[in-house]
Amino acid sequence: MTEMPVETVRAPRSAAAFRAIGTLFRIGREMTREPLGFAGCIVLAIIIIVAALASVIAPYPPNVQSLGEVLQPPSWAHWAGTDEFGRDILSRLMFGAQITIRTVFSVCIIIGPIGLAIGVIAGFFGGRIDAVLMRATDIVLSFPALVLALGFAAAMGAGLNTAVIAISLTSWPPIARLARAEALVVRRTDYVAAARLYGASRMRLLFLYIAPMCIPSVIVRLTLNMATITLTAASLGFLGLGAQPPAPEWGAMIASGRKFMLDYWWVAVMPGIAILLTSLAFNIIGDAMRDILDPRYDRS
């Protein structure tokens, strides 16, 4: 009996990897042809660059007080005005972008693998494993995400790391449900059946053949979730459960400026605009990516 060539045995796994990578490249290529999605990418890129270079391009240190320039309106000296301590709001927004971007990506790094693993395991094994994992997911989904995050943050204590953990604990269920739905479809494909005939173990099928095919859809869902994560992080900061003063967190900046809104609107409006632009950019990019991956999507 002749041995089966190694290349033949590895073909299904290679097909899964190449299809997943090809899908990601197609998303990037089609994004350049989607004007609105491309504009969202540009806005998000600008925000990330500003956050990365804040210490270089910010006109003033974020926490230096100037009591002689308290509550100054927007001007050439202070493009976004100053707050009640005379701090430059534009500089604080730039440094606050670091906090927001770090929070969003930290949460995504946590919930992406967790949601993917839970969903793929549930969809692949089915039966009692699927029932237990999905009922746990449904329990978390039954609570409003913001209320649950507030409860976790209040229980663990205020702070940026606490906010990341609290948001992560409430944001993984949609990822898990999507990954499960994808796994239910992928496990019936021909290349998975071929890999099973070649003697691939369950763990090999799960993590080398099925999980890679679920990654593009999970990335799209994560992109859509980034807007919600941004708003949730700002809400925690507004309520004093996120980054603590004097850190220039956008939600905390709105909270400190709300008592001056009637007479000094820029103190609260400027960080609100920053939150709006960031969440809008994430939403636009996510919608464009979802359209690109839709089977009915046609560029011709």
Side-chain angles (χ1 to χ4, degrees):
M1 182 180 295
T2 59
E3 291 186 357
M4 185 175 296
V6 176
E7 292 78 2
T8 304
V9 175
R10 292 181 179 175
R13 184 179 66 178
S14 300
F18 281 124
R19 286 179 65 184
I21 295 173
T23 301
L24 294 177
F25 274 107
R26 182 169 69 88
I27 292 174
R29 185 177 64 254
E30 295 291 347
M31 188 68 73
T32 60
R33 304 176 186 176
E34 187 74 23
L36 194 59
F38 188 64
C41 290
I42 292 176
V43 172
L44 182 60
I46 292 173
I47 293 172
I48 293 175
I49 292 172
V50 168
L53 301 179
S55 59
V56 177
I57 64 177
Y60 301 93
N63 297 319
V64 173
Q65 302 180 12
S66 178
L67 299 182
E69 297 180 315
V70 172
L71 297 174
Q72 294 295 309
S75 62
W76 287 110
H78 302 281
W79 288 10
T82 61
D83 62 9
E84 68 274 22
F85 296 108
R87 298 174 296 192
D88 183 66
I89 293 178
L90 179 61
S91 300
R92 289 178 61 78
L93 291 178
M94 291 180 177
F95 282 91
Q98 295 180 344
I99 298 175
T100 299
I101 296 299
R102 184 165 64 246
T103 301
V104 170
F105 284 102
S106 297
V107 172
C108 289
I109 290 173
I110 294 173
I111 67 174
I114 292 176
L116 178 65
I118 292 175
V120 169
I121 291 172
F124 178 74
F125 288 102
R128 292 183 178 178
I129 295 178
D130 181 26
V132 170
L133 292 178
M134 286 301 100
R135 295 300 76 75
T137 302
D138 291 338
I139 290 173
V140 179
L141 282 174
S142 64
F143 294 93
L146 179 58
V147 175
L148 195 58
L150 288 173
F152 282 126
M156 292 184 291
L160 183 59
N161 293 333
T162 298
V164 170
I165 296 173
I167 298 172
S168 300
L169 291 174
T170 62
S171 300
W172 61 266
I175 308 297
R177 293 185 70 87
L178 176 63
R180 174 183 178 271
E182 292 287 330
L184 289 173
V185 175
V186 174
R187 73 176 184 177
R188 296 184 177 90
T189 55
D190 293 338
Y191 74 88
V192 173
R196 187 178 287 108
L197 289 175
Y198 290 139
S201 65
R202 284 189 168 186
M203 292 297 102
R204 191 181 185 88
L205 289 172
L206 187 62
F207 293 107
L208 296 181
Y209 295 86
I210 295 178
M213 295 303 299
C214 302
I215 291 176
S217 296
V218 169
I219 291 176
V220 173
R221 181 66 195 191
L222 283 174
T223 307
L224 288 169
N225 277 12
M226 287 178 179
T228 304
I229 295 170
T230 302
L231 296 175
T232 304
S235 300
L236 292 177
F238 181 84
L239 296 173
L241 296 174
Q244 297 300 294
E249 200 276 326
W250 292 344
M253 291 175 65
I254 294 177
S256 64
R258 62 182 173 176
K259 50 182 167 296
F260 307 107
M261 281 191 64
L262 294 180
D263 298 317
Y264 310 100
W265 55 268
W266 57 88
V267 182
V269 169
M270 294 302 179
I273 293 175
I275 295 172
L276 172 65
L277 289 176
T278 304
S279 59
L280 184 61
F282 282 130
N283 261 330
I284 291 174
I285 295 172
D287 286 339
M289 293 175 66
R290 182 178 56 190
D291 291 340
I292 291 171
L293 290 177
D294 193 324
R296 297 166 294 182
Y297 181 78
D298 186 7
R299 295 298 302 170
S300 60

